[in-house]
Amino acid sequence: MPFILVLAVLLARNAFLFSTPEYENADMAANSILIEQARRFALLVGNYSREKFNHPGPAFLYVESWGESLCYDALRVVPTPWNGQLLALYALNAFFAASVVAVAYGWTRSLRGVAVALAVVLLFAALHPAIFSSDWMPYVYVPAYLAFVVAIASVTAGRTEHAWLAALTGWFLINGHACFLIFVPGLSATALAALLWQRRASLTGPARRWPRPRRRVWVPVAVISAVFAFPMTVELVLHWPGNFGKYFSYSSSAQAGGHSVKLVLEYALLYWWPHHHAWAVLLILVTAAILLARRLAAGELRRLCFSLLVVDAVSSAVFLVYVSSGVDWINNHYIGYFYWTAPVIVVLVIGLSAAELLTSVAASRLALAVAAAVVAAAVVAGAGWAVSPETAVSTVHVDPENLTSNSPTDPGLPGAVAAMAKVADGRPAVLHFPQDAWPTLIGLLLQSERTGVTACVTNLSIEYMITSQFICTPAQVLDGRIFDVYATGQVPRGARVVYRLRWGVVTGGGQGT
């Protein structure tokens, strides 16, 4: 039911995807270039990084490719490929959200546990609606990271039957961004250490406090790991050391880290409370969680609550290390959006502990009041998320820190490509562009590929974003028609306009040289 609820809200708020053609540009078009490779099962790497490498693996992009193949190619329930990609991503995000609720139910075996976990997830969605609706990668990581932290905390507390979920979400994250090569092993090591300690205690102590891990729970972990690691392994074998060599080069360069302790702490605290006195909010939340878990939670639930807090603390410690040694531009907050989950985990502990009042108090009126409060919180959070403008994916802008140059769609792309093809008259379209026009340029290249029009660029500095298939050969440069692509408002006076788009302008059409 949580899966159906989350997916239904996303589909209802984004119902225009079933009828309105949307043509992606900018980062979305760059991802779609890779998704076209995934549709041929030829993609081995993840999305591009502005540090001019690709992230480790293609898992998220394969999911989006299946959405395009199913919803656009096979069923024709959407008018354009990007719309189908989003539908697949919404199903994946609904799964991650439902996984958090499922883990809570696995520990509480009660509707109160379901209600609390669902209320917390919906509150998170209401505060940051784009984490479920947008396919911009900094948002995409957030639901997966929340599900991973909850699953790995459950394993740490002794529920090894949730190891498959921790493996699945962890491998999605590793595929998605190079930084999770630190986070996932670090948090997994915490769970492994806890399991080994529990195993030692069960052998030497007078009584077992944790259930003994069953060997069969590791079979799905091994299978999931093999499947997700396969494309990364093939990529390494074919292009050793490949992107991993670039990760090490970047991490040891002057670009990575070098920030003061004060800056690092201020950066991390922003994700707890983006205003003054964020440290006080952190202190209040953590103190309340510890006190409530000790006084109200009992038995297995108490173990889960403290496991969640421990894993959250380890996650926070790794995040501080990552910011201090791996983040280049510390003013770019999107780099750490996934760390929004830190206060959410603490709130989840508070909610699960407080819900125990339903079983610990004798007064039925108080029990009913607590139950009503939990249900009301879920309803209000869900309603807040459902009506939020950002629950509908934006087709105007994506990056809240770069509103003018990172717009996800442009309805003029098909017309622009058709106009270029007409002017080129069978010859390659050789595209020149200034830096500010890169979002429109990538959209033009993607639309050219989808419609069978040959288009390329001569600027090698953008190869990491568009892949080598769109770099012009010498023959294409000699034979091609030259077009210039500009951002809107930056066209030189006197230039011959071929087509005006929403976010850019195509000019030129001269003979190549």
Side-chain angles (χ1 to χ4, degrees):
M1 291 306 296
F3 172 84
I4 294 173
L5 172 64
V6 173
L7 183 58
V9 170
L10 289 170
L11 294 182
R13 287 302 313 279
N14 295 277
F16 70 93
L17 294 175
F18 294 98
S19 58
T20 305
E22 299 289 352
Y23 301 94
E24 65 270 42
N25 63 5
D27 286 348
M28 287 61 189
N31 287 346
S32 288
I33 288 173
L34 297 177
I35 287 171
E36 289 301 309
Q37 298 179 23
R39 279 156 48 80
R40 303 188 296 269
F41 290 94
L43 183 63
L44 300 175
V45 297
N47 56 290
Y48 83 89
S49 166
R50 57 182 168 76
E51 301 299 339
K52 299 188 177 182
F53 52 69
N54 287 86
H55 290 294
F60 284 109
L61 300 178
Y62 268 102
V63 170
E64 292 185 69
S65 77
W66 297 333
E68 178 180 337
S69 296
L70 177 64
C71 299
Y72 175 70
D73 286 336
L75 301 179
R76 291 290 174 175
V77 296
V78 292
T80 45
W82 186 65
N83 301 35
Q85 295 171 18
L86 282 172
L87 296 187
L89 190 62
Y90 292 165
L92 183 64
N93 287 341
F95 166 77
F96 289 142
S99 297
V100 174
V101 181
V103 170
Y105 177 73
W107 282 87
T108 62
R109 291 295 174 182
S110 67
L111 290 180
R112 68 179 181 276
V114 170
V116 167
L118 182 59
V120 171
V121 170
L122 294 178
L123 175 62
F124 191 22
L127 292 174
H128 305 288
I131 64 176
F132 286 107
S133 63
S134 175
D135 64 337
W136 191 41
M137 296 310 290
Y139 288 132
V140 170
Y141 307 137
V142 182
Y145 193 71
L146 176 62
F148 171 70
V149 171
V150 171
I152 205 71
S154 179
V155 175
T156 302
R159 290 291 177 87
T160 51
E161 58 264 37
H162 292 146
W164 71 271
L165 179 60
L168 181 67
T169 51
W171 275 107
F172 262 110
L173 292 167
I174 288 175
N175 273 245
H177 197 286
C179 77
F180 294 114
L181 291 166
I182 304 173
F183 282 87
V184 174
L187 272 63
S188 299
T190 302
L192 180 60
L195 291 176
L196 291 175
W197 177 263
Q198 294 161 16
R199 174 62 174 160
R200 178 178 177 274
S202 68
L203 292 175
T204 60
R208 295 181 179 178
R209 296 181 59 190
W210 290 273
R212 181 176 179 177
R214 292 170 291 182
R215 293 182 180 180
R216 68 173 180 269
V217 302
W218 305 113
V219 174
V221 171
V223 172
I224 290 169
S225 300
V227 171
F228 278 75
F230 178 74
M232 299 164 57
T233 304
V234 173
E235 169 67 15
L236 272 176
V237 171
L238 294 177
H239 305 105
W240 177 265
N243 287 300
F244 281 83
K246 297 177 182 179
Y247 304 155
F248 288 114
S249 297
Y250 168 76
S251 63
S252 59
S253 69
Q255 292 176 269
H259 311 297
S260 68
V261 173
K262 180 176 181 293
L263 276 177
V264 170
L265 292 175
E266 289 176 348
Y267 185 84
L269 285 171
L270 282 172
Y271 300 97
W272 287 80
W273 182 253
H275 306 288
H276 294 298
H277 308 302
W279 63 269
V281 174
L282 184 154
L283 183 62
I284 292 170
L285 286 177
V286 172
T287 302
I290 293 174
L291 291 177
L292 290 174
R294 287 189 62 184
R295 290 184 174 274
L296 299 180
E300 290 190 341
L301 182 59
R302 178 182 293 177
R303 191 162 74 245
L304 173 66
C305 288
F306 279 103
S307 179
L308 284 166
L309 293 175
V310 168
V311 170
D312 203 21
V314 174
S315 173
S316 298
V318 177
F319 185 74
L320 292 175
V321 172
Y322 169 58
V323 174
S324 64
S325 61
V327 172
D328 51 0
W329 299 345
I330 201 166
N331 291 328
N332 285 340
H333 301 142
Y334 70 84
I335 296 173
Y337 279 174
F338 64 91
Y339 187 61
W340 276 331
T341 58
V344 175
I345 295 298
V346 177
V347 172
L348 178 61
V349 171
I350 292 173
L352 290 174
S353 300
E356 284 299 287
L357 284 171
L358 291 174
T359 59
S360 61
V361 299
S364 59
R365 290 184 179 179
L366 180 56
L368 289 174
V370 173
V374 170
V375 173
V379 171
V380 170
W385 173 51
V387 301
S388 172
E390 290 185 47
T391 304
V393 63
S394 172
T395 57
V396 178
H397 66 78
V398 174
D399 183 355
E401 298 165 25
N402 189 19
L403 303 183
T404 59
S405 65
N406 202 5
S407 306
T409 65
D410 194 322
L413 288 169
V417 171
M420 289 192 307
K422 183 177 180 180
V423 173
D425 193 22
R427 294 181 176 182
V430 179
L431 307 182
H432 294 173
F433 64 99
Q435 179 62 31
D436 288 346
W438 71 267
T440 296
L441 172 81
I442 299 179
L444 291 170
L445 293 174
L446 172 65
Q447 189 63 24
S448 297
E449 181 185 18
R450 285 176 172 166
T451 55
V453 176
T454 301
C456 62
V457 300
T458 57
N459 189 343
L460 293 176
S461 67
I462 202 174
E463 181 179 348
Y464 72 99
M465 298 176 70
I466 62 175
T467 73
S468 59
Q469 65 177 313
F470 291 110
I471 301 300
C472 294
T473 65
Q476 289 173 327
V477 174
L478 289 174
D479 186 48
R481 292 284 186 179
I482 295 177
F483 298 89
D484 294 304
V485 182
Y486 296 96
T488 299
Q490 298 184 6
V491 181
R493 182 175 298 179
R496 183 165 67 92
V497 174
V498 175
Y499 199 91
R500 294 186 182 275
L501 300 97
R502 175 189 287 173
W503 305 109
V505 179
V506 179
T507 68
Q511 178 69 41
T513 58

